Amino acid sequence: MKSIEIFPENDHSIGWQAAGGDQHLASTLQQDIAVDFLVVGAGLAGLAAARRLAENAPHAQIALVDAERVGEGTHARNSGFAIDVPHNTSSMLVDQAQAQRHLRLARAAIGYLEKQVTAYSIDCAWERAGKFHAAVSAQGIDGVLRPTQQVLDALQEPYEWLDRAALEKKVGFSHFGAAIYTPGTVLLNPRALTQGLVRHLPENVKVYENSPITSIAYGPNQTKALTPAGSIAAHKVVIAVNAFAEQFGVLKNRLIPIAAHASLTRPLTEPEQQALQGLKTWGITPANAFVGITMRRTPDQRILIRQNMAYAPDLHSDGQHKATVAQQHQRLFSERFPMLPNVTIQHTWKGIMCVSANMAPGFGELMPNVFSAVCHNGIGLTSGTISGMLAADLMTHRDNPLLEDIAALGLPTQLPPRPLLDMGVRSRLAWEAWQHRGEL
C-alpha cells in the first residue's frame, strides 16, 4: 500500500473565467465502489483517458477521481495554447523523424479536442489564431528562431517570418526583434474547456471531485485506492496526475516539478483597446520559456503574462511569493505597454507543471494493468490530451499507429537523488536566467 503524502493546493486564485459560472460539476466519493477502469486525475490527460475508455468500452464502468474541484487544477491554469508544430527545437534538428512524431501527436490531440468542442458547443473561445514564436535578442533570433525556421522548412510547414516592425503591426507594441508566425495553434480559455469536457463525458464515466486518494495498492488483477470517505477497486488504472506521479509510486526520480506563474489584467476599456493597435487576439510564446514571457491578448480583451518559473520540489509555492510575482508581472506589463498606463493586474496564480531531463513523456504500462499519462513538458493541452487518449487505447488493446509515435519518444531519464537534484535544477535555472537574460 503506497501512502500519498502531498496533495494539490487550491487557493482559488485562477484568473480564467468559469464557463457557466462557479458551480460544482461532480460529487465527492462517499462509498466503496468497484469499476473496470480507474482514472486518477481529472486534468486534460485524465479527461481524454476517461472519454476514450468510454468510447472503446461503452459497457465498462469508469471512475474519474480528482483531489480538487474538477476544472480548477493546473490543466485550467495554463496559458491556453494548443500548439501543433514543434517549437522546442533542441533535439529536432538532429532527428526529423522525432519532429514528425511530435507533429502527428499534437495535431491528433487538437483534432480530438476540436471534435468535442464542436459537438457539444463548448464555449471556450476556441480560435485557430496561430501563434508568434518571438525572440528579443540577436542571440534568441540566431539560436532559436533560425533553427526553428529550418525545422519548419524541413517539415514543409507554412510560416511567416516577421521582423520587429512587422510584428509590432500585428501585436501593437514593440519589444521583440523578430518572430515566426505559425497558423495551426489554437488559442482558448483552458478553464472553460476543461469544465465543458467534464460536463459532456459519456454516461458510463462517473466523476468524483474533492476526493483525494490517500493510499493506493497495485496488484496484477486489481488496484485498490482509498479516499477519506470511500474506496475504489479497479481492474486497470491510469495515473494522470502529472507532477504528482511520484506520490503514487511511479516514475520515481524521473520528474522535475516546476511552478509556472501567470497573471491576467482587468479588461481593457474601449479607449484602451484603441490605444493598443494590432490584432484583437494574439498569442506569443518566447524563444526561451524559462526566461522569456508568454503573452496573450484574449477575446475578452485582457492581457495575459506568464513569467517566473521556479523549481517546486515540494509541489507548492507560498502566497507571499505569489504577491511578489504579481508585482513583477505588473512591472513587466508596464514596460511593454506604456500606452496602457492605468491597466492593472487583476489575477495572479500558479500551476505546477512537470518536465523531464530529456523532454520525454511519462507514458506507458509501468506495471501490469497500471498505466501512466504524465510529464507533458509544458505543452499539456496537446501532450496531456494525446497521452490520455493513447493510454486508453493501450489499456483496451485498440490498434492506433500513434502508439508507435509516443513510444518512440522514450521515457524520462533517471535523475540524481536529492539534494543533488535540487542543486542541479536550481543551478540550471539560474544559468538559463543569466545566459538568456536578453530574452526578458
Side-chain angles (χ1 to χ4, degrees):
M1 181 74 72
K2 176 71 174 70
S3 296
I4 313 303
E5 299 177 356
I6 302 177
F7 302 93
E9 62 175 13
N10 187 352
D11 60 5
H12 305 288
S13 63
I14 184 170
W16 293 110
Q17 297 301 307
D22 186 29
Q23 58 181 286
H24 287 274
L25 303 176
S27 59
T28 300
L29 182 64
Q30 299 284 351
Q31 60 185 327
D32 300 332
I33 62 172
V35 296
D36 299 293
F37 302 105
L38 168 60
V39 182
V40 183
L44 288 156
L47 287 166
R51 171 171 290 279
R52 188 69 159 193
L53 285 169
E55 293 170 350
N56 295 350
H59 301 296
Q61 293 179 301
I62 303 157
L64 175 61
V65 61
D66 200 278
E68 302 182 82
R69 286 185 62 180
V70 294
E72 289 195 1
T74 295
H75 51 279
R77 296 166 177 263
N78 64 56
S79 300
F81 289 75
I83 298 172
D84 62 336
V85 295
H87 71 299
N88 182 354
T89 60
S90 58
S91 62
M92 299 303 177
L93 292 175
V94 177
D95 189 351
Q96 290 296 327
Q98 290 290 76
Q100 290 281 7
R101 292 185 183 104
H102 281 284
L103 194 64
R104 287 192 292 267
L105 291 166
R107 287 191 170 150
I110 292 173
Y112 195 57
L113 289 172
E114 190 166 50
K115 181 179 178 180
Q116 296 168 66
V117 168
T118 301
Y120 303 116
S121 300
I122 298 175
D123 183 11
C124 63
W126 181 278
E127 181 182 4
R128 284 188 176 266
K131 73 174 179 69
F132 300 97
H133 196 47
V136 178
S137 65
Q139 179 189 25
I141 294 171
D142 295 337
V144 177
L145 296 193
R146 292 300 181 187
T148 300
Q149 184 181 30
Q150 294 174 32
V151 171
L152 295 172
D153 285 336
L155 295 173
Q156 297 184 326
E157 287 294 318
Y159 69 89
E160 180 183 359
W161 181 277
L162 298 103
D163 61 16
R164 182 187 300 273
L167 181 60
E168 182 178 358
K169 289 181 180 179
K170 296 287 187 181
V171 299
F173 68 101
S174 177
H175 179 70
F176 298 98
I180 295 174
Y181 172 77
T182 50
T185 290
V186 175
L187 302 180
L188 55 96
N189 178 326
R191 187 180 189 187
L193 172 67
T194 55
Q195 291 191 351
L197 295 175
V198 171
R199 286 190 181 94
H200 298 286
L201 284 169
E203 290 186 0
N204 58 330
V205 178
K206 302 302 180 186
V207 185
Y208 302 98
E209 66 179 7
N210 292 326
S211 302
I213 291 176
T214 56
S215 62
I216 191 166
Y218 304 110
N221 299 312
Q222 179 180 274
T223 289
K224 184 73 173 290
L226 302 182
T227 73
S231 68
I232 307 171
H235 295 301
K236 295 184 179 182
V237 60
V238 56
I239 305 299
V241 293
N242 210 22
F244 289 82
E246 284 195 45
Q247 292 295 305
F248 288 80
V250 299
L251 297 169
K252 185 174 176 58
N253 220 37
R254 293 175 182 267
L255 309 177
I256 305 171
I258 300 291
H261 297 82
S263 295
L264 271 169
T265 68
R266 63 162 174 77
L268 305 184
T269 64
E270 285 292 340
E272 288 167 344
Q273 293 178 42
Q274 295 174 11
L276 181 60
Q277 298 295 308
L279 301 170
K280 289 299 182 182
T281 60
W282 45 255
I284 298 172
T285 55
N288 186 290
F290 286 98
V291 179
I293 306 175
T294 298
M295 287 189 286
R296 279 189 60 188
R297 184 175 182 176
T298 65
D300 60 352
Q301 296 304 298
R302 297 188 290 171
I303 303 297
L304 176 138
I305 288 180
R306 190 183 78 171
Q307 200 274 338
N308 190 302
M309 293 192 181
Y311 180 46
D314 60 356
L315 302 175
H316 291 154
S317 64
D318 60 37
Q320 183 177 1
H321 180 63
K322 188 178 73 173
T324 301
V325 170
Q327 294 175 358
Q328 179 187 17
H329 286 180
Q330 183 67 63
R331 176 180 60 79
L332 294 173
F333 174 87
S334 299
E335 290 173 353
R336 283 150 186 76
F337 299 97
M339 75 292 290
L340 304 173
N342 299 317
V343 177
T344 56
I345 295 294
Q346 190 173 52
H347 301 280
T348 298
W349 68 91
K350 70 103 174 68
I352 303 292
M353 67 178 194
C354 179
V355 301
S356 61
N358 60 340
M359 301 302 288
F363 174 88
E365 186 173 9
L366 303 183
M367 60 186 86
N369 291 324
V370 178
F371 300 79
S372 175
V374 303
C375 195
H376 309 310
N377 293 294
I379 48 173
L381 267 163
T382 51
S383 178
T385 296
I386 197 62
S387 66
M389 173 184 165
L390 292 179
D393 285 352
L394 190 62
M395 295 168 76
T396 55
H397 308 288
R398 175 170 175 168
D399 184 39
N400 190 328
L402 292 175
L403 284 167
E404 294 184 9
D405 283 329
I406 199 167
L409 301 181
L411 284 171
T413 53
Q414 192 76 31
L415 298 167
R418 300 183 65 184
L420 292 178
L421 174 63
D422 298 353
M423 292 186 291
V425 173
R426 290 190 174 104
S427 296
R428 176 59 186 270
L429 290 177
W431 171 248
E432 286 282 329
W434 170 255
Q435 180 73 4
H436 300 281
R437 61 193 182 279
E439 288 305 308
L440 186 59

